[in-house]
């Protein structure tokens, strides 16, 4: 049983790159694991720094967004104020137009008055024409019949002359008043129209400023979303690096335990060899003392051995009769990586839907087991909004770190930190996360997994088809 346990540990640790032939190689393997652990710690530190920088960018964008929104609120207040002023100007313009209509009525009346006065003047002019253009006031005066008549005639002449002068004067005054009123109203209306145009221009500029600020807010929100997504990816990378560090620590502990077991087995083998040598020496001494008796003993022993051989025959092995249903489980290949599940490749690695597809999709219906592609340590086993149920396995093969990803599982059968062997079932194919139909999304990374997936390689170049 202990040999079986040691053999299982050896099988697991081969996948981690820590089983080699010589003690110096063991030390080198431990040194490599320690260096990888330190490298992961450095990467974690860098990712944490990037997260901090991204958080600062997000805070800065939030501040700019808040400032822009406050400016939009101030602009909206100004637009409301300018709208009120425009409404007031429109009311004044409406009132002024009413005044103009009223003035038109007054002008109409004035024109009628002027027309009547013109008729009087025309009548006076015709009278002048009939008399030769002059009024002989001496004839009017000397033609009087009495002194009283004379006085009356003098007054009449003076009255007529004064009336003519008043008509002419009033005519000029009314005409001037009309012109002044027209000019005043036209100026007022023009002034109101100019003021309204200025307010409309101001409001136009304010609306333009609002649109610019709204566009800025939209851009800031997009930038914030981008950095928040980046932060989410960095946090996931940080979590994966932490999980990888834990996996490396587990690998180091397993390697140290395995070396201790191997050293104990070596000491035990040495003790057994010594004991066998002592027994062989004692047996040789006994044979020298009683050679004849030993020959007889050997003859007797030979007959008994033949009888025993004839009476016993090997029993058929029952282990060969056992069988297992592997129709949905691919056979474990002899290469570095084995196929992770049965099914057909429904999507290859490369450009897909204007995005980079960083792995392959293997599709099949029914209950389809998913197995580890190589020996390793589960660095992370969790539910992701995009990957769904997903398992990350870290491998160390011939000094090279690899990471395999098994996504969209319906269930997970390997937890974070557990050691898995090549071909060991770790889950069931499913349709969780960002998925359209049952399939396994399988990624292979030469190195650690990162958010940009820059270490991804085409799995079809490494697993059997």
């Amino acid at each position: 049983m202990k040999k079986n346990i040691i053999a299982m540990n050896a099988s697991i640790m081969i996948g981690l790159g820590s089983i080699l032939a010589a003690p110096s190689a063991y030390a080198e393997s431990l040194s490599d694991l320690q260096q990888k652990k330190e490298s992961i710690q450095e990467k974690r530190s860098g990712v944490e720094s990037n997260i901090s920088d991204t958080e600062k960018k997000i805070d800065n964008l939030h501040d700019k967004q808040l400032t822009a929104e406050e400016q939009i609120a101030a602009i909206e207040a100004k637009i409301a104020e300018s709208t009120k002023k425009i409404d007031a100007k429109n009311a004044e313009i409406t009132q002024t137009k009413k005044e103009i209509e009223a003035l038109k009525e007054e002008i109409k009346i004035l024109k009628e008055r002027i027309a009547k006065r013109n008729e009087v003047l025309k009548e006076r002019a015709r009278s002048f024409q009939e008399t030769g253009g002059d009024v002989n006031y001496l004839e009017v005066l000397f033609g009087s019949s009495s002194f009283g008549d004379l006085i009356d005639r003098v007054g009449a002449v003076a009255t007529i002359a004064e009336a003519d002068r008043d008509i002419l004067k009033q005519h000029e005054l009314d005409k001037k008043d009309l012109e002044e009123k027209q000019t005043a109203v036209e100026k007022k209306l023009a002034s109101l129209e100019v003021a309204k145009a200025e307010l409309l221009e101001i409001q136009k500029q304010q609306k333009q400023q609002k649109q610019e600020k709204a566009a800025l807010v939209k851009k800031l929100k997009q930038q914030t979303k981008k950095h928040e997504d980046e932060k989410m990816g960095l946090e996931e990378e940080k979590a994966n690096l932490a999980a990888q560090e834990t996996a490396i620590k587990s690998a180091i502990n397993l390697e140290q335990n395995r070396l201790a077991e191997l050293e104990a087995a070596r000491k035990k083998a040495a003790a057994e060899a010594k004991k066998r040598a002592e027994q062989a020496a004692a047996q040789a001494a006994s044979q020298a003392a009683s050679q004849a008796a030993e020959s007889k003993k050997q003859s007797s022993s030979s007959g008994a051995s033949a009888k025993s051989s004839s009476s016993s025959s090997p029993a058929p092995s029952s282990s060969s009769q056992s069988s297992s249903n592997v129709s949905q489980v691919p056979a474990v290949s002899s290469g570095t990586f084995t196929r992770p599940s049965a099914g057909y490749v429904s999507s290859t690695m490369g450009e897909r839907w204007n995005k980079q597809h960083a792995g392959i999709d293997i599709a099949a219906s029914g209950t389809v087991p998913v197995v580890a592609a190589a020996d390793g340590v589960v660095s992370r086993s969790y539910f992701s909004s995009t990957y769904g149920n997903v398992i990350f396995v870290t491998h160390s093969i011939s000094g090279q770190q690899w990471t395999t990803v098994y996504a969209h599982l319906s269930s997970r059968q390997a937890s974070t930190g557990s050691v898995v062997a090549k071909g060991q079932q770790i889950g069931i194919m499913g349709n969780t996360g960002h998925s359209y139909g049952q399939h396994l999304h399988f990624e292979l990374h030469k190195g650690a997994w990162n958010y940009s997936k820059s270490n991804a390689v085409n799995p079809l170049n490494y697993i059997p088809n």
Side-chain angles (χ1 to χ4, degrees):
M1 176 62 72
K2 188 171 183 180
K3 289 181 179 179
N4 291 336
I5 294 173
I6 293 174
M8 177 60 72
N9 285 340
S11 174
I12 293 172
M13 297 312 296
I14 286 174
L16 295 172
S18 58
I19 299 299
L20 297 172
S24 61
Y26 296 140
E28 182 181 354
S29 178
L30 285 173
S31 175
D32 289 343
L33 290 172
Q34 189 63 37
Q35 288 177 359
K36 288 173 183 175
K37 175 185 167 186
E38 293 172 357
S39 174
I40 289 172
Q41 288 174 338
E42 290 179 2
K43 289 180 180 178
R44 279 186 64 190
S45 177
V47 169
E48 288 172 353
S49 176
N50 290 337
I51 290 174
S52 177
D53 293 341
T54 303
E55 287 175 344
K56 290 178 181 177
K57 291 178 181 177
I58 291 172
D59 291 339
N60 185 37
L61 288 170
H62 280 154
D63 291 341
K64 289 182 178 179
Q65 184 176 329
L66 181 61
T67 301
E69 288 173 348
E70 289 175 348
Q71 290 174 344
I72 288 174
I75 291 171
E76 286 176 343
K78 290 180 179 179
I79 290 173
E81 182 181 354
S82 62
T83 300
K84 287 182 180 178
K85 291 181 178 179
I86 290 170
D87 291 341
K89 290 299 178 184
N90 283 330
E92 287 185 50
I93 290 171
T94 301
Q95 181 61 33
T96 302
K97 287 181 177 179
K98 289 180 180 179
E99 292 177 3
I100 289 173
E101 292 299 323
L103 184 60
K104 286 180 178 179
E105 290 297 323
E106 292 181 13
I107 291 171
K108 183 179 178 181
I109 295 170
L110 286 173
K111 285 182 176 179
E112 290 175 354
R113 290 177 183 174
I114 291 171
K116 289 179 179 179
R117 289 168 187 154
N118 282 335
E119 288 299 325
V120 173
L121 291 175
K122 287 178 181 178
E123 184 63 29
R124 192 83 67 218
R126 282 194 298 270
S127 176
F128 288 162
Q129 288 176 355
E130 291 174 355
T131 58
D134 293 321
V135 177
N136 194 337
Y137 291 104
L138 291 177
E139 290 181 358
V140 173
L141 294 177
F142 288 114
S144 57
S145 59
S146 64
F147 183 74
D149 185 30
L150 176 62
I151 296 300
D152 291 338
R153 289 191 178 197
V154 171
V157 170
T159 300
I160 291 170
E162 184 66 26
D164 289 343
R165 285 195 297 271
D166 290 342
I167 289 172
L168 291 173
K169 184 177 181 181
Q170 190 62 43
H171 187 87
E172 292 297 327
L173 290 174
D174 288 344
K175 185 178 179 182
K176 182 179 180 182
D177 184 56
L178 176 60
E179 291 174 350
E180 289 176 351
K181 285 184 177 180
Q182 283 181 329
T183 302
V185 173
E186 288 171 356
K187 284 184 178 179
K188 181 178 180 181
L189 182 60
S191 176
L192 289 172
E193 293 291 352
V194 169
K196 178 183 175 181
E198 291 175 351
L199 287 171
L200 288 172
E201 181 62 27
I202 291 171
Q203 190 177 68
K204 179 181 177 182
Q205 294 175 1
Q206 291 169 343
K207 289 180 178 179
Q208 180 65 28
Q209 290 173 356
K210 181 183 176 182
Q211 290 177 352
E212 291 173 357
K213 294 298 179 182
L216 175 61
V217 170
K218 182 179 179 181
K219 181 179 178 181
L220 291 171
K221 286 182 178 179
Q222 291 173 343
Q223 291 177 345
T224 301
K225 178 68 168 54
K226 177 184 175 183
H227 287 302
E228 285 175 346
D229 291 343
E230 181 181 348
K231 179 186 174 184
M232 186 181 299
L234 288 170
E235 287 175 343
E236 188 166 0
E237 183 175 356
K238 175 185 174 183
N240 277 313
L241 287 171
Q244 288 174 19
E245 182 180 353
T246 302
I248 293 293
K249 288 180 181 177
S250 176
I252 291 173
N253 291 333
L254 286 172
E255 173 65 0
Q256 290 172 340
N257 293 336
R258 196 202 66 78
L259 289 175
E261 289 179 359
L262 182 60
E263 183 63 24
R266 282 177 177 171
K267 289 180 179 179
K268 182 179 179 181
E272 289 176 350
K274 182 179 179 181
K275 184 177 180 180
R276 286 194 299 270
E278 290 173 350
Q279 289 175 347
Q283 187 177 3
S286 177
Q287 286 176 353
S290 55
Q291 189 173 14
E294 185 66 26
S295 290
K296 185 178 179 180
K297 182 179 178 182
Q298 286 178 354
S299 177
S300 175
S301 175
S302 177
S305 176
K307 182 178 181 181
S308 175
S309 297
S310 64
S311 62
S312 63
S313 60
S317 173
S318 62
S319 63
S320 62
Q321 298 175 358
S322 64
S323 61
S324 60
N325 182 11
V326 294
S327 60
Q328 291 184 329
V329 179
V332 178
S333 65
S334 59
T336 304
F337 297 98
T338 192
R339 190 179 179 88
S341 76
Y344 67 94
V345 177
S346 60
S347 182
T348 57
M349 180 176 178
E351 188 76 15
R352 187 181 73 171
W353 304 332
N354 296 323
K355 292 177 66 177
Q356 181 68 17
H357 188 226
I360 63 172
D361 293 342
I362 302 175
S365 60
T367 302
V368 185
V370 175
V371 302
D375 301 333
V377 176
V378 177
S379 57
R380 203 170 184 204
S381 176
Y382 73 112
F383 183 84
S384 166
S385 60
T386 53
Y387 280 138
N389 281 314
V390 61
I391 294 176
F392 290 74
V393 180
T394 299
H395 316 270
S396 182
I397 302 172
S398 301
Q400 172 64 51
Q401 180 183 350
W402 298 81
T403 304
T404 51
V405 181
Y406 312 79
H408 308 312
L409 304 175
S410 64
S411 63
R412 292 173 278 118
Q413 298 172 1
S415 59
T416 300
S418 60
V419 178
V420 294
K422 182 181 181 181
Q424 177 182 337
Q425 184 172 335
I426 59 175
I428 299 293
M429 185 184 293
N431 187 29
T432 58
H434 192 201
S435 170
Y436 303 97
Q438 177 171 298
H439 71 284
L440 169 69
H441 175 74
F442 178 68
E443 295 178 12
L444 179 61
H445 299 263
K446 192 173 184 179
W449 181 95
N450 56 56
Y451 179 67
S452 62
K453 302 181 182 179
S454 59
N455 293 331
V457 295
N458 191 346
L460 294 178
N461 294 334
Y462 296 86
I463 65 172
N465 293 329

